[in-house]
Amino acid sequence: MISYNTINVKMPDISHRETTAWVRAVAASYNKRVGEVGYVFCDDEKILEVNRQYLKHDYYTDIITFDYCEGDVLSGDLFISLDTVRTNAEQFGKTYDDELHRVIIHGILHLVGINDKGPGEREIMEAAENKALALLDQMRHAQD
C-alpha cells in the first residue's frame, strides 16, 4: 500500500491513483513489489529537522528515504520537501510537476537499490529517473 501524507504543507496536486500505478509499474520493471510505502510531503524546516535527527546532516534536501525493504518487497518512508522541489524546478528550468514526479520516483529508485553518491552513480540514477518519467508519460497517453 502507498500512503500520501503531509506535515506543514498542503497536499500537492497529484493523482494518487495515477502515482500509485506508476510507482508499482516502475517497481515491477525492477522485479520488485510494493509493500508499505509512505510519502510524507513537508516543508524545508521539517526535512531539515529529519535530516539532523536521523542522518546527522545539517542541510536542506529534496528527499530523505528510509529503507525498510525485505527481499523483493519495497517498503519505506519518503520525506519530500515541497519547498526544495519548487526551488530545484526553478533552478533546473523544469516545471514543478515534472520535478515533483522526478523526486517521487527518485526515492523508489533508491529502494530498488540505485545509489547516487559514488563515482558514476549519479548518471545511472538520472537515466533511471528519465526512464521512469517516460513510463509515466506513456501511461498518461494510454489513458487518452
Side-chain angles (χ1 to χ4, degrees):
M1 181 183 126
I2 299 176
S3 62
Y4 301 89
N5 303 286
T6 62
I7 299 175
N8 302 336
V9 296
K10 187 169 116 334
M11 183 65 69
D13 187 22
I14 58 172
S15 164
H16 294 179
R17 180 178 292 142
E18 175 188 81
T19 303
T20 296
W22 175 49
V23 167
R24 289 183 190 284
V26 170
S29 75
Y30 290 91
N31 299 312
K32 305 285 185 183
R33 293 179 295 125
V34 174
E36 296 290 324
V37 173
Y39 282 99
V40 181
F41 299 104
C42 61
D43 62 5
D44 270 351
E45 294 314 308
K46 182 62 181 177
I47 208 146
L48 181 60
E49 176 187 317
V50 170
N51 217 0
R52 286 174 173 160
Q53 182 175 352
Y54 295 100
L55 302 177
K56 308 299 183 231
H57 296 159
D58 192 23
Y59 54 81
Y60 299 102
T61 188
D62 51 359
I63 184 167
I64 298 174
T65 303
F66 293 97
D67 184 339
Y68 313 131
C69 296
E70 293 183 19
D72 66 348
V73 179
L74 302 183
S75 296
D77 288 321
L78 296 84
F79 285 77
I80 296 176
S81 170
L82 298 181
D83 294 335
T84 300
V85 167
R86 182 167 283 105
T87 300
N88 287 350
E90 292 168 6
Q91 183 178 339
F92 299 123
K94 304 287 184 187
T95 67
Y96 174 77
D97 185 63
D98 285 350
E99 186 63 17
L100 179 58
H101 282 90
R102 179 177 296 279
V103 174
I104 285 170
I105 212 61
H106 182 91
I108 297 299
L109 294 169
H110 274 310
L111 294 180
V112 302
I114 300 173
N115 295 313
D116 59 358
K117 299 289 188 236
E121 289 179 339
R122 182 71 218 149
E123 293 79 5
I124 293 167
M125 176 62 84
E126 286 178 12
E129 290 170 353
N130 291 337
K131 183 178 172 188
L133 290 166
L135 176 60
L136 177 60
D137 276 347
Q138 289 173 358
M139 293 171 71
R140 286 175 169 169
H141 287 93
Q143 294 172 355
D144 293 344

